[in-house]
Amino acid sequence: MKRILLMVITNLFHVPWWLHQIDKMGRDPVRYSEEERYHYLRKRLRRIIRRGRVKVVTCGVENLPKTNGFILFPNHQGLFDMLAIIQSCPKPLGVVIKKEAAEWILVKQVVRLLEGIPMDRSDVRGSMEIIKEMASQVKKGRNFVIFPEGTRSRNGNEILDFKAGTFKSAVKAGCPIIPVALIDSFRPFDLASIKKETVQVHFLKAIYPEQYMGMKTVEIAELVHGRIQKEIKKYC
């Protein structure tokens, strides 16, 4: 909470205008392309993160596919995760986010800007429809982020089991799967401090359809989980 207040206070005179612009651009996706909207947001976040005394270290950008139409599968540590991912990823991203969070002020406008998809985790049938919708959009060339743990880990850099159902989106889309290891992403907002923090974002080697086709989604989940876990253990 202290760092969130610091970010707000140090950008106090800019936030109203930024929010206005984000809201305007998000409501008019025909006038503002996905690239324009995404890069406007990235530029604002870069300043907010810097003034919040957080450094984001990015590794493995070269592992992102050259063409669009992929899905990032990161571990989930907290509210700072998407800030770190957006700052680190140069390619526009949509996000699947839990329905209750999608209604928060600021988050709501950003989700609309990114053409994100809210998901009600308690509605199993509805969740599967969201998975299908995301797969359809990925087939058309959009990129997405979805957190396969389903909820954030409360144990620092330890990760929870991955839900196999989230990987149906990649299977249906026949797209590259990008495991993403987030390290210390919980620290900026979970610790009651405003001292300098460093968050790491590691884009791991893509898993292409020819590598996972024929595998069960449970097996894919275990594969991605294992790669992320191994990367985190190198640094923790």
Side-chain angles (χ1 to χ4, degrees), residues 61-121:
V61 173
E62 69 277 6
N63 290 324
L64 295 173
K66 302 301 181 185
T67 56
N68 290 323
F70 58 80
I71 303 177
L72 304 181
F73 289 89
N75 56 304
H76 194 10
Q77 296 192 343
L79 294 173
F80 193 79
D81 294 354
M82 277 307 300
L83 278 67
I85 290 170
I86 291 171
Q87 176 168 322
S88 299
C89 184
K91 291 176 173 283
L93 298 167
V95 60
V96 174
I97 185 172
K98 61 183 181 180
K99 187 176 181 180
E100 53 268 36
E103 293 303 316
W104 298 345
I105 186 67
L106 295 178
V107 176
K108 180 178 182 178
Q109 286 77 16
V110 170
V111 170
R112 184 191 295 130
L113 183 84
L114 298 175
E115 294 186 76
I117 307 176
M119 175 186 284
D120 183 351
R121 294 177 297 180

Side-chain angles (χ1 to χ4, degrees), residues 29-179:
V30 175
R31 180 179 177 184
Y32 301 99
S33 70
E34 184 175 27
E35 288 76 14
E36 287 178 297
R37 287 180 274 125
Y38 184 72
H39 291 300
Y40 179 85
L41 179 63
R42 279 189 86 205
K43 189 174 182 180
R44 306 288 86 77
L45 286 181
R46 194 174 298 121
R47 174 180 173 136
I48 290 170
I49 290 170
R50 184 179 67 252
R51 292 200 168 188
R53 296 169 59 81
V54 181
K55 179 181 179 180
V56 177
V57 176
T58 306
C59 303
V61 173
E62 69 277 6
N63 290 324
L64 295 173
K66 302 301 181 185
T67 56
N68 290 323
F70 58 80
I71 303 177
L72 304 181
F73 289 89
N75 56 304
H76 194 10
Q77 296 192 343
L79 294 173
F80 193 79
D81 294 354
M82 277 307 300
L83 278 67
I85 290 170
I86 291 171
Q87 176 168 322
S88 299
C89 184
K91 291 176 173 283
L93 298 167
V95 60
V96 174
I97 185 172
K98 61 183 181 180
K99 187 176 181 180
E100 53 268 36
E103 293 303 316
W104 298 345
I105 186 67
L106 295 178
V107 176
K108 180 178 182 178
Q109 286 77 16
V110 170
V111 170
R112 184 191 295 130
L113 183 84
L114 298 175
E115 294 186 76
I117 307 176
M119 175 186 284
D120 183 351
R121 294 177 297 180
S122 64
D123 183 352
V124 177
R125 180 175 294 182
S127 295
M128 290 313 300
E129 290 302 314
I130 294 300
I131 293 294
K132 290 179 182 178
E133 172 61 23
M134 182 172 66
S136 175
Q137 293 195 33
V138 172
K139 280 184 178 180
K140 296 175 182 177
R142 293 199 70 210
N143 310 314
F144 268 87
V145 180
I146 186 168
F147 294 96
E149 286 166 288
T151 187
R152 58 169 294 187
S153 169
R154 299 284 179 176
N155 295 306
N157 287 308
E158 293 182 22
I159 59 177
L160 306 175
D161 291 337
F162 286 179
K163 298 183 182 299
T166 58
F167 292 90
K168 290 183 179 179
S169 55
V171 173
K172 289 180 180 295
C175 72
I177 290 171
I178 318 297

